């Protein structure tokens, strides 16, 4: 089956890097609508144009990421935004999703996985770097990260089954994987997820995962391995809306 042609705007100050990404996208059935130094410059000249499927921001050469994302998300609410970063930085990942990004990808990813990731974002998925799951699963003690706030009363907020579901959300499992692990229906998983979002007072699964991380919800290495097996490649972590 031929992949649907997706439109994209490449944003970054490094013209050589933009041109390289533009060529890769063109070879993979993407239509590059524009290649610009900043989101602001695109808005000034294309404010009335049709919304692209994706904005791809080179974070290593894009200043003021928060203001860029805010402007793009406001002017093109139907478009999805992806950040490409030179390296994994936990604080930057958390901030990017807080600012409204839909995908955060570290550039050491393979070309094939990058294209899969971009298409997943365009389909409405949240894509996070696999380094996030590996970072969490590799933490032997939460005390090693004193900057993280703990909440000893998680069990007072969520039921045991909801906590288990939240742990799977933190790893990035899709509903069908959670349903298989818990031996319940996907419909029941959706009920748990909605209850979690309501009780934690968050808007989506990504925010719930960040809450779980900040409040010491444990991640099991086997959960991360199953996610990799489910996706078929090791370079990205996906959290469905």
């Amino acid at each position: 089956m031929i992949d649907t042609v997706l439109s994209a705007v490449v944003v970054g100050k490094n013209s050589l890097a933009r041109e390289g990404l533009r060529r890769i996208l063109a070879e993979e059935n993407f239509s590059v609508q524009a290649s610009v130094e900043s989101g602001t410059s695109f808005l000034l000249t294309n404010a009335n144009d049709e919304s692209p499927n994706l904005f791809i921001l080179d974070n290593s050469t894009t200043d003021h990421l928060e203001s860029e994302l805010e402007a793009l998300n406001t002017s093109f609410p139907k478009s999805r935004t992806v950040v490409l970063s030179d390296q994994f930085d936990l604080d930057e990942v958390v901030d990017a999703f807080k600012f409204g990004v839909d995908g955060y990808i570290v550039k050491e990813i393979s070309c094939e996985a990058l294209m899969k990731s971009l298409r997943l974002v365009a389909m409405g998925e949240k894509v996070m770097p696999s380094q996030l799951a590996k970072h969490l699963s590799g933490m032997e003690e939460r005390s090693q990260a004193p900057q993280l706030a703990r909440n000893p009363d998680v069990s007072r907020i969520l039921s045991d089954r909801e906590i288990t579901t939240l742990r799977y959300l933190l790893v990035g499992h899709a509903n069908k994987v959670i349903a298989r692990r818990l031996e319940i229906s996907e419909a029941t998983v959706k009920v748990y997820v909605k209850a979690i979002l309501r009780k934690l007072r968050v808007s989506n699964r990504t925010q719930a995962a960040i809450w779980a991380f900040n409040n010491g919800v444990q991640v099991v290495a086997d959960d991360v391995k199953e996610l990799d097996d489910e996706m078929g490649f090791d370079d990205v972590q996906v959290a469905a809306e």
Side-chain angles (χ1 to χ4, degrees):
M1 182 179 67
I2 299 176
D3 290 328
T4 302
V5 176
L6 298 175
S7 60
V9 172
V10 179
V11 181
K13 288 187 176 180
N14 189 317
S15 59
L16 185 61
R18 294 201 316 268
E19 177 61 18
L21 181 56
R22 186 195 67 78
R23 293 186 180 187
I24 292 173
L25 291 169
E27 292 175 356
E28 296 293 335
N29 211 29
F30 282 78
S31 172
V32 180
Q33 186 172 325
S35 175
V36 294
E37 289 191 1
S38 69
T40 302
S41 63
F42 179 80
L43 292 174
L44 291 175
T45 57
N46 300 273
N48 297 321
D49 288 1
E50 184 178 350
S51 299
N53 296 114
L54 295 171
F55 282 99
I56 306 173
L57 287 73
D58 184 347
N59 196 28
S60 63
T61 58
T62 301
D63 297 326
H64 310 299
L65 180 61
E66 180 178 6
S67 59
E68 288 271 84
L69 289 171
E70 181 179 3
L72 293 175
N73 289 335
T74 299
S75 300
F76 298 95
K78 294 182 180 180
S79 300
R80 311 283 288 180
T81 54
V82 177
V83 168
L84 297 183
S85 181
D86 287 332
Q87 59 187 6
F88 172 77
D89 183 287
L90 179 61
D91 291 336
E92 289 183 1
V93 173
V94 173
D95 285 343
F97 281 99
K98 186 187 302 181
F99 300 153
V101 77
D102 298 296
Y104 190 101
I105 302 171
V106 179
K107 291 179 184 177
E108 63 186 39
I109 192 173
S110 68
C111 183
E112 179 184 1
L114 172 61
M115 295 303 110
K116 288 182 179 179
S117 299
L118 294 177
R119 291 190 176 279
L120 284 169
V121 172
M123 292 169 58
E125 305 285 352
K126 296 287 186 180
V127 173
M128 293 173 274
S130 63
Q131 289 91 336
L132 176 61
K134 294 175 182 177
H135 174 85
L136 297 178
S137 63
M139 294 176 64
E140 295 182 0
E141 297 182 3
R142 293 289 171 173
S143 59
Q144 294 175 354
Q147 74 277 15
L148 299 179
R150 284 174 169 269
N151 185 341
D153 297 324
V154 174
S155 61
R156 295 184 181 181
I157 301 174
L158 304 176
S159 67
D160 289 344
R161 186 53 65 92
E162 289 167 350
I163 292 174
T164 301
T165 303
L166 179 60
R167 177 163 60 86
Y168 292 141
L169 294 184
L170 176 56
V171 177
H173 283 319
N175 284 351
K176 66 178 181 180
V177 179
I178 300 174
R180 187 174 71 247
R181 293 296 297 270
L182 298 181
E183 298 182 346
I184 57 178
S185 68
E186 287 189 50
T188 302
V189 173
K190 290 181 180 179
V191 172
Y192 287 143
V193 172
K194 287 183 179 179
I196 291 169
L197 299 184
R198 174 176 52 80
K199 292 180 180 180
L200 300 186
R201 298 181 180 180
V202 296
S203 301
N204 53 53
R205 296 165 71 111
T206 301
Q207 292 179 4
I210 293 172
W211 187 98
F213 174 62
N214 286 339
N215 288 275
V217 176
Q218 298 295 316
V219 176
V220 179
D222 287 346
D223 297 335
V224 178
K225 180 181 184 301
E226 177 160 338
L227 174 65
D228 291 339
D229 293 341
E230 180 73 20
M231 291 302 300
F233 52 92
D234 298 329
D235 298 300
V236 296
Q237 179 182 350
V238 180
E241 284 284 8

